[in-house]
Each structure stands twice: as C-alpha cells, then as structure tokens.
Amino acid sequence: MRIRSCLTVFFYGVLSLALLSCSDEPEQAPRVKLTETVLVENVQRLGINLGDDFWYSGAVLTKERIPHGGFEGVLYRQITWGPRGGADWYADWFQTGEWGGILEGATATFLTGPAQGIPRRIMRIDRELVPGAEKNGPLPVYRFDRPLASPRLNDALLLESRQLDLGYVGQHGGSWWVFGENGGQVQSVSDPRPGSKGQQSVLLDARKKGCCAGILAPLLDSRWAEATGDWRVSFWAKGSGELVVYLGNFAHRGRHGASFQTVKLWPTWKKYTLEFSLKEFSWRLMGLGMSMHDGVLVLDEVSCKRLGDENPTAFRDDVLRTLRRFQPGVLRYLQLGGSSLENILRPREYRLAYSSSRSDAPSGQLWPVHPKSTGVARFHSYGLHEFLTLCESVGTSPWYCLPGTFTIQEMQGLIEYLAGPETTRMGALRAARGHPEPWTSAFEHIYLEVGNEAWNDMHPYRHAGFNLRAEYWESLFSAAAQSPYSNSKIHCVAGSQAVNAHLSLRLAQDIPHASHLAIAPYILHDLSQHIASQGAEAMYMTALAVPRFALAEGELGHVLDALQERRGPALAVYEVNHHPTGGDAPEQACNDLVTGVGAGVNLVDWMLSLMERGVLVQNMFQLAQFEYPGSNQRRLRLWGCALNMKEGAERYRPTFLAAEMVNWVLQGKLLACEVSGSPMLRLADFVQPKPEGKENRELRRFSFPALRAYATKDGKNRGLVLVNLHPRESLRPELNLEGNPRFVRWAVLAAPKLEDSNEPEHRPEVHIEEEELSGLDVRSGITLPPHSLTVLSWEEDR
C-alpha cells in the first residue's frame, strides 16, 4: 500500500471531467445515503480456498517439501453405483479397466439401500449384459461372498482395498521420480526401522559394478519460494557403500547439484541429518536427489526443509503473512475421495498415499498384478491437524472437505475428535498431536463438506464422492448431529451446482441435517473470439452482465428465492472466480480479462451482491496458482490471486487486493444503502451482437446500475464499500454518512485500463492507495474512477 498521491488524484479528476463531458447520459448527481435498515445481522469476511501444495503452479505452502517421505502403501477407496443387483451381486455402470485386479477381493459396503452398512467381499467380477441396461454393453458384475438384501437402482457401493504390503515410491509425476542405470534398481520393501509406526521403506540397489540407483523429489519453483539459504535434510537409512545427497536443479543428479554431500552408510538403522547452505540458485526448479553407486541402501522417513520459518505451524512464514494480510473469514481445504479419517490424522511420515479414480492406470510398483509403471496416487500435503492449526494461527474458520468416501463410523469419530474431551479416544489422539482443548473452543464455526463437487462426472471427480441418493450425506450429517459431542459450531455442508436448481432443491429437501448448501457461482464459463475481438471493454461488460442476470432472472435467483421461502439450508459459496476456460477467445484476451483490475472489482462486487441476498459464507478460488489449462491448449492465468508470496517479491493480483480491502470493513451488520442517480449499464450498449449467430435478447436488454454501495456497522465502527462498475466514466456521488465522522480512512483500487495487472512480465500496475480525509470532505463527494473499488471506514463520533 502507498499514500494516494496528488498526481493520482489530479489524473482521475481530469479523466472524470473528460469522460463525463462526452457521455451520452444526461448529467445527474449520484447520491449514496446510508440507512439503519439491517440486511444481514452478522456478516463474515470473504473467505478463500487454500488448495493443495502444487509446487509447480505457485502453491509452495508447507515447510516440509517431501509429502510422502515414509514410502507407505496406498489406501484405495471408491464409491460406485449401478443399474441392478441381487442378494449376492451388483452391476456397475462403469468399466473396471485395469483396476479389475484391485477390485477383486476388495471390501464392498453399500452406503445406501436395504443392505446399507454391512461389509462383504468381492469374490470375482464377471462381464454380462444386464437386463434393462443392454444398450451399455457388458457391464462389470460384482459377486459377493454372502447374500443380503437386494440393492436398488444407483445405490452407492463403497469399494475399499488396502495395498499396504507394498510401499508407494511413485513414478514420474508422483512424490518421487525413480531412476536406475546399468542395472540399478529401486523398489519398496517391508523393512521399516525399529520403532517406526510405518510398514514400508525403499531399497536402492546398486551393488552391480558400474550401476546407479536413485530417487529425485521436486521441492519448489524458485519463482514462488526461496531456494537459497540453509536447508536441513534428514532420513533413516542402513546399507553399505556411499550415498550421495544433493540439492540442485531438478534435472541434475549426483555431484552435478548445486550442493551435495556424501554419506558413509552403516549396516544397521541410523538417523542422518545433513545441513546445506545455498548461497545462490540459478535454476527455476529445485529438487532433492539421493543416489547410490556400487552399494545398497534401505531408506525411510525422508524430510527436507528450508530453515528460517519461525511460526509453529506446518506452513511457511510467507503463507501465514499473506493469509493474515488477507484476513479470510473462512479458509477452505478441498480434497477428493480415496482417503480415510485415520489417514488424514496421521503424521506425515506414516501417511498413506490414496486413490479413488479408475482413470489413472495402476502402477506396477503399487499394484503387482499389473505391468503398468505410470500409475498415479495422491498425497496429503498436510493433514487435518495441520490445517486446523493453520486456521487457528490465522484467526479464521476452517472449511474442511472430508474425503468423499467417508463412512458413518468415521463421521462419528471426526465429531469426537473436533469436540470431544481429552478423555475420549479421539480427544486423546488430538491431545497427542498437541491440542488438548477441543477444536470447537478455538473457532466460531467449523464447516464440513463431503468431498469436492461430488456431482461432477469428470475425471478425477467420478467415484471420489456420491450424491445421486441424498440419504448417504444425510446419514453422515445425522450421525454428526446425534453424536454425544455434537456442537452448534459444527456445520455440515452439502455441495451442489449454481446452474442446477433441480439438484439444489432436491438436496435441500432430502438432507435436513445440512446447515448449508454450497454452490460455485463462477463468472463467465465461456468467452468467444467474437466478444474478445471487440476489446477489453466488451469482455468486461460481458463478465458483469452474465452473473448479475443469473441472480436477477436466472437459475441462481430461483434457488435463492426457493430456499428462503422454504427456510431451508443457508446458501454458501464454496468457490468463485472468473472462469473463461471454454469458448474460442484467444489466450491473451482471456488473461487480460482475469488478471486485470476490472476482474478484481467485478469479483468482489459479485460476492457482495450475493451477500446482500443472504449468502454469508463465501470462498474465492484460490490463494495460489499461476495458470490453468483451458480449452484449445490455452494456458489461462487462473485461479490464484496471491501471485507470489515470497518475501521481498510479493505480488498480488487485483482479485486479492480487492477482497483484502473489503475484508477491512466486513464486520457486524450489513446495512442497506439508498443509491440514486446512478448511470445504468446495458450489455447492448457496449458489445456488438454476432450478426449470423443467435443472441440472448433477454440478457442484452438486462440493465443494472453502475454505482454499487454496501455499508457495515459494528458498534461505533462503520464501513462503506463503493463500486463503480462503469468501464469509461468516473462518478462523484454525494455521500450521506451516519455517525458524524471526524476522520475517514479512504482506500481505492483503480488503474487507467481495465486490463492493468500485476503479472510478472512487468512492474505492478495496480495498488491499494489510501489516505485519511475529514468527514466533511467526504460528504461533499469523492471521485470514483472507472472500474474501481473504494472503501471508507470511520468511527462514529456522536
């Protein structure tokens, strides 16, 4: 932040006069009057998704850079469903593919229907034409070891296979990259160190003369995290010969790293701790390598951390500093199915890899019945304990996406862990991890969602959750409510779709124990080349009009009205941002839209518009990510808003800065504002229709005010958010402020062009600029630049 300069004020003043003088609109005197009418009793600050530690795209979150240093095996869990079944069989809509060998012998438990909750074993899998589903061809048919009640159409079946007798090292794209040269071999072995709670370790066998065996772990991208400095690498090992441990370019091995040390191995288990000091690092990608030449090594519990982080959590100081600046009301951690309550509570070095998707081929190292060597499993970069500790340190409410394959027993155990006393089994586990007091004593709210986008039929969401029959979620949420440790601070969240009113209303009716129904009202899923060719203003106006039309006249407004009429669960936002991943607009045009100052202004105004309608809990998507693959091989600058958190190199996209400003004043009550004299915006006035194409005439006729105002009150503290959505014109509204303010803190987020951004290719162009004004000066009117956000805060002096 910096003090708003006289030059900046002069620039926007001249721009305002010039634009207003040439405007076709008749001159008006916009006015904003604050009222005491309460729209929302207790507002919450805007929240944000934390995401996983995807080091390659800007999310270097945790201190520990080795997520799977214990090489433990894989927990495979999946929910599937089918067309028909009998007492001892069930047909699956989905082909098993290469997973057939894993599913045979798996534990199978119906989560819905008359056979619910009783585990059985799959004895074999046949392929048959199923009556009523012949058009789907031969389907997998599971044969169970004993008969029970017959399942119904689309009853949820939980399949579970624990592959713990073989560890998971991971191949290219996993936690470790494995290499062997001239006969060197790397494989998992069941040989843990004495006293270990794990079962697996990894063998590097290079006893053959002239061969080499090694593993290489990606650590970070030096654009997003500091590579230089002091590092500590620790591990348990036994063997013969010399082990080379090195830090350096991810593509280098052995003595070609930036820094390396040679370790003389002992034949019995021993813990090794190595210190590295990197004065410089000239590459982009940094890795940790461990290689053997002319020797053999058994390795376990590998850890690699950069020293210097002083906070007590598992996360880097950069991350805490950024989150404390943002002040999120909620922090959401999304994850898919495949894991378990036990696994998300385990310490890192004993945590299992997990999987739920049939779209990933099984790995030869992981699944011995298959020859494939490119299998993929996922890892928890941080567990539930680490996440809750972070939320407590930041001062925010946690929103935790449980694995989408949770059971009733696990839900009961989770409530005990969150709210039970230290004398309970799960409370004792919590205390052993360092938090004797129940987590409910640390937070005002704890939100629990089952999976992430369980409605999504795309890879990797399919089989990682289930919502076809709402009784599954209702059974989980009911178990939470009936727990002896049930707590009013714990809220169960059912995930739905913003564009699917039928689904939302069905879930609201069928899951009475859900306190919230969560949607993702993204802005502009598709952007066409036709609109993009008309320039930044046309794209911006389209991004303004589409979501506001949906709220006023579309599916989203219908869902809100229906839920409020039924007094059903409160609507919440699990994710929101711009979303032009579809369409044929050029990559650069999309990136200009989503990274510019116009996007920041539009996003926070959209969230505040939803808040006015009673949607209090909202999460932007997401904290850190540089880019995302869109259609037509485009690399789009989505979804992260903290572009760089590295100390001394901080860069925040306008979406971050705008939400940060709004969070300064989102407290207490949200009050109504009377806004008059605002210019009206209409898409047809800014965007030319496509001559040969169909057009949405209702959308083109739809209009909305350019000037938006949101007021808050918390005791003597008052706040006012002013948004000028107009792409061209400055506005100078008269302000009628309550409480006789003596001084007003004035902050503005603006830039000359809609596409001005803080991307790394150039110097930052968008800043929060602020100063302190007298209350009289403010009441006489202030200039709101085009496409800008202004936040005022003061203390009543009556």
Side-chain angles (χ1 to χ4, degrees), residues 439-465:
W439 284 110
T440 46
S441 66
F443 303 112
E444 288 297 317
H445 305 280
I446 299 175
Y447 301 94
L448 302 176
E449 182 183 359
V450 182
N452 176 65
E453 297 191 357
W455 49 263
N456 199 325
D457 201 36
M458 297 175 60
H459 164 71
Y461 302 92
R462 180 185 288 178
H463 305 301

PDB file of all heavy atoms in Angstrom, residues 439-465:
ATOM      1  N   TRP A 439     -11.277 -28.603  19.363  1.00  0.00           N
ATOM      2  CA  TRP A 439     -11.133 -27.605  18.320  1.00  0.00           C
ATOM      3  C   TRP A 439     -12.310 -26.639  18.297  1.00  0.00           C
ATOM      4  O   TRP A 439     -12.193 -25.509  17.831  1.00  0.00           O
ATOM      5  CB  TRP A 439     -10.987 -28.287  16.960  1.00  0.00           C
ATOM      6  CG  TRP A 439      -9.632 -28.881  16.741  1.00  0.00           C
ATOM      7  CD1 TRP A 439      -9.311 -30.207  16.692  1.00  0.00           C
ATOM      8  CD2 TRP A 439      -8.404 -28.172  16.530  1.00  0.00           C
ATOM      9  NE1 TRP A 439      -7.961 -30.369  16.482  1.00  0.00           N
ATOM     10  CE2 TRP A 439      -7.386 -29.127  16.372  1.00  0.00           C
ATOM     11  CE3 TRP A 439      -8.067 -26.824  16.471  1.00  0.00           C
ATOM     12  CZ2 TRP A 439      -6.060 -28.787  16.151  1.00  0.00           C
ATOM     13  CZ3 TRP A 439      -6.750 -26.472  16.248  1.00  0.00           C
ATOM     14  CH2 TRP A 439      -5.765 -27.436  16.085  1.00  0.00           C
ATOM     15  N   THR A 440     -13.450 -27.073  18.800  1.00  0.00           N
ATOM     16  CA  THR A 440     -14.607 -26.182  18.838  1.00  0.00           C
ATOM     17  C   THR A 440     -14.394 -25.020  19.798  1.00  0.00           C
ATOM     18  O   THR A 440     -15.105 -24.015  19.704  1.00  0.00           O
ATOM     19  CB  THR A 440     -15.864 -26.965  19.250  1.00  0.00           C
ATOM     20  OG1 THR A 440     -15.567 -27.794  20.375  1.00  0.00           O
ATOM     21  CG2 THR A 440     -16.359 -27.835  18.107  1.00  0.00           C
ATOM     22  N   SER A 441     -13.437 -25.127  20.693  1.00  0.00           N
ATOM     23  CA  SER A 441     -13.129 -23.991  21.575  1.00  0.00           C
ATOM     24  C   SER A 441     -12.245 -22.971  20.876  1.00  0.00           C
ATOM     25  O   SER A 441     -12.093 -21.849  21.362  1.00  0.00           O
ATOM     26  CB  SER A 441     -12.439 -24.481  22.858  1.00  0.00           C
ATOM     27  OG  SER A 441     -11.160 -25.036  22.560  1.00  0.00           O
ATOM     28  N   ALA A 442     -11.668 -23.342  19.723  1.00  0.00           N
ATOM     29  CA  ALA A 442     -10.761 -22.440  19.004  1.00  0.00           C
ATOM     30  C   ALA A 442     -11.455 -21.662  17.898  1.00  0.00           C
ATOM     31  O   ALA A 442     -10.914 -20.664  17.425  1.00  0.00           O
ATOM     32  CB  ALA A 442      -9.596 -23.241  18.415  1.00  0.00           C
ATOM     33  N   PHE A 443     -12.642 -22.099  17.474  1.00  0.00           N
ATOM     34  CA  PHE A 443     -13.281 -21.498  16.302  1.00  0.00           C
ATOM     35  C   PHE A 443     -14.734 -21.158  16.590  1.00  0.00           C
ATOM     36  O   PHE A 443     -15.411 -21.845  17.367  1.00  0.00           O
ATOM     37  CB  PHE A 443     -13.228 -22.455  15.101  1.00  0.00           C
ATOM     38  CG  PHE A 443     -11.848 -22.894  14.728  1.00  0.00           C
ATOM     39  CD1 PHE A 443     -11.447 -24.210  14.908  1.00  0.00           C
ATOM     40  CD2 PHE A 443     -10.930 -21.999  14.201  1.00  0.00           C
ATOM     41  CE1 PHE A 443     -10.176 -24.633  14.555  1.00  0.00           C
ATOM     42  CE2 PHE A 443      -9.650 -22.404  13.853  1.00  0.00           C
ATOM     43  CZ  PHE A 443      -9.272 -23.718  14.032  1.00  0.00           C
ATOM     44  N   GLU A 444     -15.213 -20.114  15.899  1.00  0.00           N
ATOM     45  CA  GLU A 444     -16.628 -19.785  15.943  1.00  0.00           C
ATOM     46  C   GLU A 444     -17.430 -20.740  15.065  1.00  0.00           C
ATOM     47  O   GLU A 444     -18.579 -21.065  15.372  1.00  0.00           O
ATOM     48  CB  GLU A 444     -16.852 -18.342  15.477  1.00  0.00           C
ATOM     49  CG  GLU A 444     -16.384 -17.290  16.469  1.00  0.00           C
ATOM     50  CD  GLU A 444     -17.152 -17.369  17.780  1.00  0.00           C
ATOM     51  OE1 GLU A 444     -18.384 -17.529  17.756  1.00  0.00           O
ATOM     52  OE2 GLU A 444     -16.493 -17.302  18.839  1.00  0.00           O
ATOM     53  N   HIS A 445     -16.823 -21.179  13.962  1.00  0.00           N
ATOM     54  CA  HIS A 445     -17.509 -22.065  13.031  1.00  0.00           C
ATOM     55  C   HIS A 445     -16.513 -23.092  12.494  1.00  0.00           C
ATOM     56  O   HIS A 445     -15.343 -22.777  12.268  1.00  0.00           O
ATOM     57  CB  HIS A 445     -18.093 -21.292  11.842  1.00  0.00           C
ATOM     58  CG  HIS A 445     -18.997 -20.171  12.222  1.00  0.00           C
ATOM     59  ND1 HIS A 445     -20.318 -20.353  12.580  1.00  0.00           N
ATOM     60  CD2 HIS A 445     -18.777 -18.823  12.303  1.00  0.00           C
ATOM     61  CE1 HIS A 445     -20.865 -19.189  12.858  1.00  0.00           C
ATOM     62  NE2 HIS A 445     -19.954 -18.243  12.699  1.00  0.00           N
ATOM     63  N   ILE A 446     -16.989 -24.317  12.280  1.00  0.00           N
ATOM     64  CA  ILE A 446     -16.241 -25.355  11.572  1.00  0.00           C
ATOM     65  C   ILE A 446     -17.190 -25.930  10.522  1.00  0.00           C
ATOM     66  O   ILE A 446     -18.265 -26.431  10.848  1.00  0.00           O
ATOM     67  CB  ILE A 446     -15.758 -26.468  12.515  1.00  0.00           C
ATOM     68  CG1 ILE A 446     -14.814 -25.907  13.584  1.00  0.00           C
ATOM     69  CG2 ILE A 446     -15.071 -27.576  11.722  1.00  0.00           C
ATOM     70  CD1 ILE A 446     -14.383 -26.938  14.622  1.00  0.00           C
ATOM     71  N   TYR A 447     -16.790 -25.852   9.251  1.00  0.00           N
ATOM     72  CA  TYR A 447     -17.628 -26.330   8.160  1.00  0.00           C
ATOM     73  C   TYR A 447     -17.073 -27.654   7.638  1.00  0.00           C
ATOM     74  O   TYR A 447     -15.870 -27.771   7.382  1.00  0.00           O
ATOM     75  CB  TYR A 447     -17.678 -25.293   7.035  1.00  0.00           C
ATOM     76  CG  TYR A 447     -18.218 -23.955   7.480  1.00  0.00           C
ATOM     77  CD1 TYR A 447     -17.351 -22.942   7.897  1.00  0.00           C
ATOM     78  CD2 TYR A 447     -19.585 -23.702   7.505  1.00  0.00           C
ATOM     79  CE1 TYR A 447     -17.826 -21.711   8.321  1.00  0.00           C
ATOM     80  CE2 TYR A 447     -20.073 -22.472   7.927  1.00  0.00           C
ATOM     81  CZ  TYR A 447     -19.193 -21.482   8.334  1.00  0.00           C
ATOM     82  OH  TYR A 447     -19.672 -20.270   8.757  1.00  0.00           O
ATOM     83  N   LEU A 448     -17.956 -28.632   7.461  1.00  0.00           N
ATOM     84  CA  LEU A 448     -17.563 -29.954   6.980  1.00  0.00           C
ATOM     85  C   LEU A 448     -18.344 -30.286   5.714  1.00  0.00           C
ATOM     86  O   LEU A 448     -19.575 -30.339   5.730  1.00  0.00           O
ATOM     87  CB  LEU A 448     -17.837 -31.020   8.050  1.00  0.00           C
ATOM     88  CG  LEU A 448     -17.141 -30.824   9.408  1.00  0.00           C
ATOM     89  CD1 LEU A 448     -17.587 -31.899  10.383  1.00  0.00           C
ATOM     90  CD2 LEU A 448     -15.629 -30.826   9.256  1.00  0.00           C
ATOM     91  N   GLU A 449     -17.632 -30.487   4.643  1.00  0.00           N
ATOM     92  CA  GLU A 449     -18.224 -30.863   3.360  1.00  0.00           C
ATOM     93  C   GLU A 449     -17.722 -32.255   2.995  1.00  0.00           C
ATOM     94  O   GLU A 449     -16.592 -32.622   3.316  1.00  0.00           O
ATOM     95  CB  GLU A 449     -17.815 -29.847   2.282  1.00  0.00           C
ATOM     96  CG  GLU A 449     -18.405 -30.099   0.914  1.00  0.00           C
ATOM     97  CD  GLU A 449     -17.905 -29.105  -0.123  1.00  0.00           C
ATOM     98  OE1 GLU A 449     -17.118 -28.204   0.233  1.00  0.00           O
ATOM     99  OE2 GLU A 449     -18.295 -29.226  -1.286  1.00  0.00           O
ATOM    100  N   VAL A 450     -18.554 -33.049   2.317  1.00  0.00           N
ATOM    101  CA  VAL A 450     -18.163 -34.404   1.917  1.00  0.00           C
ATOM    102  C   VAL A 450     -17.619 -34.351   0.500  1.00  0.00           C
ATOM    103  O   VAL A 450     -18.362 -34.120  -0.457  1.00  0.00           O
ATOM    104  CB  VAL A 450     -19.346 -35.374   2.009  1.00  0.00           C
ATOM    105  CG1 VAL A 450     -18.891 -36.789   1.631  1.00  0.00           C
ATOM    106  CG2 VAL A 450     -19.930 -35.373   3.415  1.00  0.00           C
ATOM    107  N   GLY A 451     -16.314 -34.531   0.364  1.00  0.00           N
ATOM    108  CA  GLY A 451     -15.691 -34.499  -0.949  1.00  0.00           C
ATOM    109  C   GLY A 451     -15.686 -33.104  -1.532  1.00  0.00           C
ATOM    110  O   GLY A 451     -15.873 -32.097  -0.845  1.00  0.00           O
ATOM    111  N   ASN A 452     -15.470 -33.029  -2.819  1.00  0.00           N
ATOM    112  CA  ASN A 452     -15.483 -31.778  -3.557  1.00  0.00           C
ATOM    113  C   ASN A 452     -16.165 -32.029  -4.894  1.00  0.00           C
ATOM    114  O   ASN A 452     -15.722 -32.878  -5.669  1.00  0.00           O
ATOM    115  CB  ASN A 452     -14.057 -31.264  -3.790  1.00  0.00           C
ATOM    116  CG  ASN A 452     -14.037 -30.016  -4.649  1.00  0.00           C
ATOM    117  OD1 ASN A 452     -14.537 -28.974  -4.259  1.00  0.00           O
ATOM    118  ND2 ASN A 452     -13.461 -30.125  -5.844  1.00  0.00           N
ATOM    119  N   GLU A 453     -17.256 -31.310  -5.124  1.00  0.00           N
ATOM    120  CA  GLU A 453     -18.015 -31.458  -6.365  1.00  0.00           C
ATOM    121  C   GLU A 453     -18.376 -32.913  -6.631  1.00  0.00           C
ATOM    122  O   GLU A 453     -18.049 -33.472  -7.684  1.00  0.00           O
ATOM    123  CB  GLU A 453     -17.255 -30.842  -7.540  1.00  0.00           C
ATOM    124  CG  GLU A 453     -17.062 -29.345  -7.392  1.00  0.00           C
ATOM    125  CD  GLU A 453     -16.537 -28.675  -8.659  1.00  0.00           C
ATOM    126  OE1 GLU A 453     -16.269 -29.378  -9.641  1.00  0.00           O
ATOM    127  OE2 GLU A 453     -16.396 -27.440  -8.649  1.00  0.00           O
ATOM    128  N   ALA A 454     -19.052 -33.507  -5.667  1.00  0.00           N
ATOM    129  CA  ALA A 454     -19.444 -34.909  -5.823  1.00  0.00           C
ATOM    130  C   ALA A 454     -20.393 -35.111  -6.986  1.00  0.00           C
ATOM    131  O   ALA A 454     -20.568 -36.235  -7.468  1.00  0.00           O
ATOM    132  CB  ALA A 454     -20.081 -35.412  -4.527  1.00  0.00           C
ATOM    133  N   TRP A 455     -21.016 -34.025  -7.465  1.00  0.00           N
ATOM    134  CA  TRP A 455     -21.900 -34.122  -8.628  1.00  0.00           C
ATOM    135  C   TRP A 455     -21.124 -34.228  -9.935  1.00  0.00           C
ATOM    136  O   TRP A 455     -21.685 -34.569 -10.979  1.00  0.00           O
ATOM    137  CB  TRP A 455     -22.786 -32.864  -8.699  1.00  0.00           C
ATOM    138  CG  TRP A 455     -22.013 -31.585  -8.573  1.00  0.00           C
ATOM    139  CD1 TRP A 455     -21.826 -30.853  -7.431  1.00  0.00           C
ATOM    140  CD2 TRP A 455     -21.292 -30.909  -9.612  1.00  0.00           C
ATOM    141  NE1 TRP A 455     -21.037 -29.752  -7.695  1.00  0.00           N
ATOM    142  CE2 TRP A 455     -20.693 -29.755  -9.021  1.00  0.00           C
ATOM    143  CE3 TRP A 455     -21.091 -31.131 -10.963  1.00  0.00           C
ATOM    144  CZ2 TRP A 455     -19.912 -28.855  -9.748  1.00  0.00           C
ATOM    145  CZ3 TRP A 455     -20.320 -30.244 -11.690  1.00  0.00           C
ATOM    146  CH2 TRP A 455     -19.747 -29.113 -11.083  1.00  0.00           C
ATOM    147  N   ASN A 456     -19.841 -33.939  -9.910  1.00  0.00           N
ATOM    148  CA  ASN A 456     -19.051 -33.808 -11.127  1.00  0.00           C
ATOM    149  C   ASN A 456     -18.717 -35.186 -11.704  1.00  0.00           C
ATOM    150  O   ASN A 456     -18.119 -36.021 -11.022  1.00  0.00           O
ATOM    151  CB  ASN A 456     -17.768 -33.036 -10.819  1.00  0.00           C
ATOM    152  CG  ASN A 456     -17.132 -32.454 -12.060  1.00  0.00           C
ATOM    153  OD1 ASN A 456     -17.172 -33.048 -13.122  1.00  0.00           O
ATOM    154  ND2 ASN A 456     -16.534 -31.281 -11.916  1.00  0.00           N
ATOM    155  N   ASP A 457     -19.082 -35.405 -12.950  1.00  0.00           N
ATOM    156  CA  ASP A 457     -18.877 -36.706 -13.588  1.00  0.00           C
ATOM    157  C   ASP A 457     -17.559 -36.791 -14.352  1.00  0.00           C
ATOM    158  O   ASP A 457     -17.298 -37.750 -15.057  1.00  0.00           O
ATOM    159  CB  ASP A 457     -20.032 -37.006 -14.543  1.00  0.00           C
ATOM    160  CG  ASP A 457     -20.166 -38.497 -14.838  1.00  0.00           C
ATOM    161  OD1 ASP A 457     -19.929 -39.306 -13.930  1.00  0.00           O
ATOM    162  OD2 ASP A 457     -20.505 -38.846 -15.987  1.00  0.00           O
ATOM    163  N   MET A 458     -16.715 -35.766 -14.214  1.00  0.00           N
ATOM    164  CA  MET A 458     -15.443 -35.752 -14.925  1.00  0.00           C
ATOM    165  C   MET A 458     -14.338 -36.375 -14.072  1.00  0.00           C
ATOM    166  O   MET A 458     -14.441 -36.459 -12.855  1.00  0.00           O
ATOM    167  CB  MET A 458     -15.061 -34.311 -15.273  1.00  0.00           C
ATOM    168  CG  MET A 458     -16.012 -33.603 -16.221  1.00  0.00           C
ATOM    169  SD  MET A 458     -15.565 -31.873 -16.447  1.00  0.00           S
ATOM    170  CE  MET A 458     -13.895 -32.039 -17.112  1.00  0.00           C
ATOM    171  N   HIS A 459     -13.283 -36.826 -14.747  1.00  0.00           N
ATOM    172  CA  HIS A 459     -12.070 -37.248 -14.046  1.00  0.00           C
ATOM    173  C   HIS A 459     -11.433 -36.002 -13.427  1.00  0.00           C
ATOM    174  O   HIS A 459     -11.370 -34.954 -14.066  1.00  0.00           O
ATOM    175  CB  HIS A 459     -11.099 -37.896 -15.036  1.00  0.00           C
ATOM    176  CG  HIS A 459      -9.705 -38.017 -14.515  1.00  0.00           C
ATOM    177  ND1 HIS A 459      -9.369 -38.904 -13.532  1.00  0.00           N
ATOM    178  CD2 HIS A 459      -8.568 -37.334 -14.820  1.00  0.00           C
ATOM    179  CE1 HIS A 459      -8.076 -38.784 -13.273  1.00  0.00           C
ATOM    180  NE2 HIS A 459      -7.569 -37.836 -14.040  1.00  0.00           N
ATOM    181  N   PRO A 460     -10.960 -36.068 -12.179  1.00  0.00           N
ATOM    182  CA  PRO A 460     -10.909 -37.243 -11.313  1.00  0.00           C
ATOM    183  C   PRO A 460     -12.025 -37.276 -10.280  1.00  0.00           C
ATOM    184  O   PRO A 460     -11.912 -37.974  -9.261  1.00  0.00           O
ATOM    185  CB  PRO A 460      -9.566 -37.037 -10.611  1.00  0.00           C
ATOM    186  CG  PRO A 460      -9.496 -35.553 -10.439  1.00  0.00           C
ATOM    187  CD  PRO A 460     -10.176 -34.939 -11.643  1.00  0.00           C
ATOM    188  N   TYR A 461     -13.133 -36.536 -10.511  1.00  0.00           N
ATOM    189  CA  TYR A 461     -14.187 -36.443  -9.506  1.00  0.00           C
ATOM    190  C   TYR A 461     -15.029 -37.715  -9.419  1.00  0.00           C
ATOM    191  O   TYR A 461     -15.508 -38.078  -8.347  1.00  0.00           O
ATOM    192  CB  TYR A 461     -15.094 -35.249  -9.827  1.00  0.00           C
ATOM    193  CG  TYR A 461     -14.358 -33.941  -9.894  1.00  0.00           C
ATOM    194  CD1 TYR A 461     -13.852 -33.468 -11.102  1.00  0.00           C
ATOM    195  CD2 TYR A 461     -14.154 -33.174  -8.754  1.00  0.00           C
ATOM    196  CE1 TYR A 461     -13.177 -32.270 -11.171  1.00  0.00           C
ATOM    197  CE2 TYR A 461     -13.469 -31.979  -8.810  1.00  0.00           C
ATOM    198  CZ  TYR A 461     -12.983 -31.529 -10.025  1.00  0.00           C
ATOM    199  OH  TYR A 461     -12.297 -30.343 -10.088  1.00  0.00           O
ATOM    200  N   ARG A 462     -15.242 -38.360 -10.583  1.00  0.00           N
ATOM    201  CA  ARG A 462     -16.068 -39.569 -10.585  1.00  0.00           C
ATOM    202  C   ARG A 462     -15.490 -40.611  -9.630  1.00  0.00           C
ATOM    203  O   ARG A 462     -14.287 -40.848  -9.611  1.00  0.00           O
ATOM    204  CB  ARG A 462     -16.153 -40.145 -11.998  1.00  0.00           C
ATOM    205  CG  ARG A 462     -16.985 -41.409 -12.081  1.00  0.00           C
ATOM    206  CD  ARG A 462     -16.942 -41.994 -13.473  1.00  0.00           C
ATOM    207  NE  ARG A 462     -17.706 -41.185 -14.411  1.00  0.00           N
ATOM    208  CZ  ARG A 462     -17.787 -41.467 -15.724  1.00  0.00           C
ATOM    209  NH1 ARG A 462     -17.126 -42.496 -16.228  1.00  0.00           N
ATOM    210  NH2 ARG A 462     -18.501 -40.707 -16.520  1.00  0.00           N
ATOM    211  N   HIS A 463     -16.347 -41.207  -8.841  1.00  0.00           N
ATOM    212  CA  HIS A 463     -16.006 -42.234  -7.853  1.00  0.00           C
ATOM    213  C   HIS A 463     -15.311 -41.667  -6.618  1.00  0.00           C
ATOM    214  O   HIS A 463     -14.976 -42.417  -5.709  1.00  0.00           O
ATOM    215  CB  HIS A 463     -15.129 -43.346  -8.447  1.00  0.00           C
ATOM    216  CG  HIS A 463     -15.724 -43.991  -9.658  1.00  0.00           C
ATOM    217  ND1 HIS A 463     -16.942 -44.624  -9.644  1.00  0.00           N
ATOM    218  CD2 HIS A 463     -15.276 -44.079 -10.934  1.00  0.00           C
ATOM    219  CE1 HIS A 463     -17.207 -45.086 -10.848  1.00  0.00           C
ATOM    220  NE2 HIS A 463     -16.226 -44.763 -11.664  1.00  0.00           N
ATOM    221  N   ALA A 464     -15.077 -40.349  -6.576  1.00  0.00           N
ATOM    222  CA  ALA A 464     -14.449 -39.745  -5.392  1.00  0.00           C
ATOM    223  C   ALA A 464     -15.489 -39.119  -4.468  1.00  0.00           C
ATOM    224  O   ALA A 464     -15.139 -38.428  -3.516  1.00  0.00           O
ATOM    225  CB  ALA A 464     -13.439 -38.676  -5.822  1.00  0.00           C
ATOM    226  N   GLY A 465     -16.747 -39.366  -4.751  1.00  0.00           N
ATOM    227  CA  GLY A 465     -17.845 -38.840  -3.944  1.00  0.00           C
ATOM    228  C   GLY A 465     -19.147 -39.354  -4.521  1.00  0.00           C
ATOM    229  O   GLY A 465     -19.160 -40.054  -5.540  1.00  0.00           O
TER     230      GLY A 465
END
